[in-house]
Amino acid sequence: MSQCKRIAITVGEPAGIGPDLVIMIAQQAYSDELIAICDPELLITRARQLNLPIAIERCTFDTEPTPHIPRTIKVYPVELKRPAVAGELNPDNAAYVVETLRIAAEESLAGRFDAIVTAPVHKGVINEGGIAFTGHTEYFEAITQTPQVVMMLATEGLRVALVTTHLPLSAVSAAITPERLTDVVTVLHTSLKQDFGIADPHILVAGLNPHAGESGHLGHEEQTTIEPTLATLRAQGLKLTGPLPADTLFTPKYLETCDAALTMYHDQGLPVLKYKGFGNAVNITLGMPIIRTSVDHGTALDLAGTGRADAGSLRLAIQYASDMARNKAKSIHERQETH
């Protein structure tokens, strides 16, 4: 079991800050091998704009991974369709962006990467380029053929997972079924144990409606779906508290005793998480056979090429990916020894 892990970084939208962030983090040492999946000329050009040194080395899978050397970057080359200009979106490069994600996923499934870290993409320009694209989470869910993935964001002292992700609010209630809630809680519980090394996870679960439905006076989903499902899961040994009103769940009284909070929809939990840790948080996709973490921000086209981008979230995403890869390897090793 190699101590040094091989971490893939998809550089994301070539006109955005993804290339800047990769060049910035490449200036320091890491205990794992970092491989950028992108057009090497993109990094060379952007490094000149940022006035930062970078040496490009083509990656190879023929040898064991080695720790990252400062001011270098190993690259899995993918050619841009059109040269990228910082801050200027070009739909012609949409297929290039999606291709970098495909390579990362398939090489990870083949065991050649221990984890994937994704820099931000621009969903709008990918769709303008003729490729239907909802987001990283849904893309990796499809390509890995995972029945149920869970989106979780994490920052210091808080992890927030979602039952539904990129749905209009009008569609959320119908999407919260006993089956979906059971699958999401199970994935979250398993990942907290396997990927985060928590022996007996405690999960707080939010209600859907104000005041968690106020005993049915402000909505029925808590009584008909959420509470019965949680009761079934508790009977199986899971440590779950809820459904709790979302406006009081995120208070020290509850958070100091839990390992993660589970909310019903995107804007119920993520505003709290991003208020607490924006720029120092990580987006994590749980439940897949591969590890994927990401930055918590967008492409920031106005900052691309200026040197004013903050690489904090990418550094943290790399750290989470590294820790999760080690916890997963340890968990697999322990299971093998048991059998």
Side-chain angles (χ1 to χ4, degrees):
M1 185 171 63
S2 174
Q3 292 302 306
C4 181
K5 301 302 178 186
R6 183 168 278 140
I7 311 293
I9 304 176
T10 58
V11 177
E13 167 52 50
I17 61 171
D20 304 47
L21 301 180
V22 171
I23 292 162
M24 292 165 71
I25 63 100
Q27 302 302 306
Q28 67 185 77
Y30 287 88
S31 58
D32 293 314
E33 184 175 81
L34 306 182
I35 296 179
I37 304 178
C38 66
D39 191 322
E41 287 300 318
L42 171 64
L43 296 183
I44 293 170
T45 300
R46 195 66 60 86
R48 289 196 193 105
Q49 285 183 261
L50 299 176
N51 197 30
L52 289 173
I54 197 74
I56 304 293
E57 180 182 343
R58 190 182 181 106
C59 79
T60 176
F61 299 121
D62 297 335
T63 59
E64 289 293 310
T66 56
H68 174 75
I69 300 172
R71 297 175 295 281
T72 70
I73 191 70
K74 293 182 179 179
V75 174
Y76 188 121
V78 183
E79 189 175 354
L80 282 161
K81 180 73 173 178
R82 300 281 182 262
V85 178
E88 297 182 15
L89 294 172
N90 189 336
D92 287 348
N93 285 324
Y96 155 85
V97 173
V98 176
E99 175 68 1
T100 65
L101 303 182
R102 184 196 66 78
I103 289 170
E106 293 190 352
E107 295 288 14
S108 294
L109 287 169
R112 286 186 277 272
F113 291 129
D114 295 298
I116 303 169
V117 176
T118 59
V121 299
H122 193 288
K123 299 171 191 172
V125 78
I126 294 175
N127 282 278
E128 287 175 25
I131 301 171
F133 188 85
T134 307
H136 277 113
T137 302
E138 293 82 1
Y139 179 83
F140 285 123
E141 179 179 33
I143 199 168
T144 61
Q145 299 181 2
T146 304
Q148 179 68 64
V149 300
V150 175
M151 179 179 176
M152 182 174 82
L153 267 74
T155 189
E156 182 66 31
L158 181 62
R159 301 183 186 97
V160 178
L162 308 177
V163 177
T164 64
T165 54
H166 300 118
L167 286 181
L169 195 55
S170 60
V172 169
S173 176
I176 299 172
T177 63
E179 295 78 17
R180 186 187 190 111
L181 185 54
T182 297
D183 289 345
V184 168
V185 172
T186 302
V187 167
L188 177 58
H189 174 83
T190 301
S191 182
L192 289 171
K193 292 181 68 175
Q194 174 182 282
D195 299 325
F196 293 87
I198 301 169
D200 187 22
H202 178 204
I203 301 169
L204 301 182
V205 182
L208 172 64
N209 298 293
H211 300 184
E214 197 74 78
S215 300
H217 297 288
L218 293 176
H220 60 84
E221 289 86 354
E222 287 78 10
Q223 292 180 309
T224 60
T225 302
I226 301 174
E227 175 52 42
T229 303
L230 298 185
T232 299
L233 291 166
R234 288 190 197 99
Q236 298 172 11
L238 276 67
K239 189 184 293 185
L240 307 170
T241 300
L244 296 169
D247 62 345
T248 55
L249 181 157
F250 293 103
T251 57
K253 170 186 174 182
Y254 291 111
L255 292 181
E256 65 190 11
T257 67
C258 83
D259 298 297
L262 178 64
T263 58
M264 294 296 119
Y265 57 94
H266 188 281
D267 284 9
Q268 186 182 51
L270 296 195
V272 180
L273 185 291
K274 292 196 175 186
Y275 177 76
K276 178 176 172 62
F278 188 74
N280 195 33
V282 180
N283 186 342
I284 307 166
T285 306
L286 309 179
M288 298 190 297
I290 61 177
I291 292 169
R292 177 257 172 170
T293 68
S294 183
V295 296
D296 69 340
H297 55 74
T299 53
L301 296 168
D302 59 320
L303 297 179
T306 68
R308 293 186 285 112
D310 185 346
S313 184
L314 183 59
R315 289 193 185 95
L316 195 61
I318 292 170
Q319 185 61 59
Y320 267 80
S322 175
D323 291 344
M324 290 173 69
R326 282 171 170 75
N327 283 328
K328 182 177 181 179
K330 180 181 178 183
S331 178
I332 293 171
H333 181 67
E334 288 174 349
R335 287 201 302 268
Q336 289 173 341
E337 282 198 330
T338 302
H339 295 299

Short mmCIF file of all heavy atoms in Angstrom, two decimals, residues 123 134-138 151 162 164-168 266 283:
data_model
loop_
_atom_site.label_atom_id
_atom_site.label_comp_id
_atom_site.label_asym_id
_atom_site.label_seq_id
_atom_site.Cartn_x
_atom_site.Cartn_y
_atom_site.Cartn_z
N LYS A 123 -20.68 26.04 -16.39
CA LYS A 123 -21.75 25.20 -16.94
C LYS A 123 -22.39 25.83 -18.17
O LYS A 123 -22.74 25.15 -19.13
CB LYS A 123 -22.81 24.94 -15.87
CG LYS A 123 -22.29 24.21 -14.64
CD LYS A 123 -23.34 24.20 -13.54
CE LYS A 123 -22.74 23.73 -12.24
NZ LYS A 123 -23.66 23.88 -11.10
N THR A 134 -25.07 19.46 -16.37
CA THR A 134 -25.70 20.02 -15.17
C THR A 134 -24.68 20.40 -14.13
O THR A 134 -24.83 21.40 -13.43
CB THR A 134 -26.70 19.00 -14.57
OG1 THR A 134 -27.60 18.58 -15.58
CG2 THR A 134 -27.49 19.63 -13.43
N GLY A 135 -23.63 19.60 -14.00
CA GLY A 135 -22.60 19.89 -13.01
C GLY A 135 -21.67 18.71 -12.84
O GLY A 135 -21.92 17.61 -13.34
N HIS A 136 -20.56 18.95 -12.13
CA HIS A 136 -19.60 17.88 -11.85
C HIS A 136 -20.26 16.68 -11.18
O HIS A 136 -20.02 15.53 -11.55
CB HIS A 136 -18.52 18.40 -10.88
CG HIS A 136 -17.41 19.15 -11.53
ND1 HIS A 136 -17.21 20.50 -11.32
CD2 HIS A 136 -16.41 18.75 -12.34
CE1 HIS A 136 -16.14 20.88 -11.99
NE2 HIS A 136 -15.63 19.85 -12.61
N THR A 137 -21.08 16.96 -10.15
CA THR A 137 -21.67 15.87 -9.36
C THR A 137 -22.45 14.91 -10.24
O THR A 137 -22.26 13.69 -10.21
CB THR A 137 -22.57 16.44 -8.25
OG1 THR A 137 -21.80 17.32 -7.43
CG2 THR A 137 -23.16 15.32 -7.40
N GLU A 138 -23.33 15.49 -11.07
CA GLU A 138 -24.17 14.66 -11.93
C GLU A 138 -23.35 13.97 -13.02
O GLU A 138 -23.65 12.83 -13.39
CB GLU A 138 -25.27 15.53 -12.56
CG GLU A 138 -26.28 16.07 -11.56
CD GLU A 138 -25.82 17.33 -10.84
OE1 GLU A 138 -24.69 17.81 -11.11
OE2 GLU A 138 -26.58 17.85 -10.00
N MET A 151 -23.85 14.96 -2.52
CA MET A 151 -23.02 16.16 -2.55
C MET A 151 -22.84 16.67 -1.12
O MET A 151 -23.81 16.86 -0.40
CB MET A 151 -23.69 17.23 -3.41
CG MET A 151 -22.94 18.54 -3.51
SD MET A 151 -23.85 19.68 -4.59
CE MET A 151 -22.86 21.15 -4.45
N LEU A 162 -26.40 17.02 1.13
CA LEU A 162 -27.69 17.38 0.54
C LEU A 162 -28.45 16.14 0.08
O LEU A 162 -27.87 15.24 -0.52
CB LEU A 162 -27.49 18.29 -0.68
CG LEU A 162 -26.63 19.54 -0.49
CD1 LEU A 162 -26.47 20.28 -1.82
CD2 LEU A 162 -27.22 20.46 0.56
N THR A 164 -31.15 16.54 -2.06
CA THR A 164 -31.30 16.90 -3.47
C THR A 164 -30.27 17.96 -3.80
O THR A 164 -29.83 18.71 -2.93
CB THR A 164 -32.71 17.44 -3.77
OG1 THR A 164 -32.92 18.66 -3.04
CG2 THR A 164 -33.77 16.43 -3.40
N THR A 165 -29.86 18.04 -5.07
CA THR A 165 -28.80 18.98 -5.43
C THR A 165 -29.33 20.09 -6.32
O THR A 165 -29.92 21.04 -5.84
CB THR A 165 -27.63 18.24 -6.10
OG1 THR A 165 -28.12 17.46 -7.21
CG2 THR A 165 -26.94 17.32 -5.12
N HIS A 166 -29.15 19.97 -7.61
CA HIS A 166 -29.48 21.07 -8.51
C HIS A 166 -30.89 20.89 -9.09
O HIS A 166 -31.07 20.60 -10.27
CB HIS A 166 -28.44 21.18 -9.62
CG HIS A 166 -27.06 21.44 -9.09
ND1 HIS A 166 -26.00 20.58 -9.26
CD2 HIS A 166 -26.58 22.46 -8.35
CE1 HIS A 166 -24.92 21.06 -8.66
NE2 HIS A 166 -25.25 22.21 -8.11
N LEU A 167 -31.88 21.07 -8.21
CA LEU A 167 -33.29 20.98 -8.60
C LEU A 167 -33.96 22.32 -8.33
O LEU A 167 -33.64 22.99 -7.34
CB LEU A 167 -34.01 19.91 -7.78
CG LEU A 167 -33.76 18.43 -8.08
CD1 LEU A 167 -34.61 17.58 -7.15
CD2 LEU A 167 -34.07 18.12 -9.52
N PRO A 168 -34.93 22.72 -9.17
CA PRO A 168 -35.75 23.88 -8.82
C PRO A 168 -36.52 23.59 -7.54
O PRO A 168 -36.89 22.44 -7.28
CB PRO A 168 -36.66 24.06 -10.02
CG PRO A 168 -36.68 22.75 -10.72
CD PRO A 168 -35.35 22.12 -10.45
N HIS A 266 -30.48 22.31 -1.83
CA HIS A 266 -29.25 23.05 -2.05
C HIS A 266 -29.15 24.31 -1.18
O HIS A 266 -28.19 24.52 -0.43
CB HIS A 266 -29.16 23.41 -3.54
CG HIS A 266 -27.87 24.03 -3.98
ND1 HIS A 266 -27.58 25.36 -3.78
CD2 HIS A 266 -26.80 23.50 -4.63
CE1 HIS A 266 -26.39 25.63 -4.29
NE2 HIS A 266 -25.88 24.52 -4.80
N ASN A 283 -15.93 20.97 -1.83
CA ASN A 283 -17.09 20.24 -2.32
C ASN A 283 -16.66 18.80 -2.55
O ASN A 283 -15.66 18.55 -3.23
CB ASN A 283 -17.57 20.88 -3.63
CG ASN A 283 -18.86 20.30 -4.14
OD1 ASN A 283 -19.26 19.21 -3.75
ND2 ASN A 283 -19.50 21.01 -5.05
#
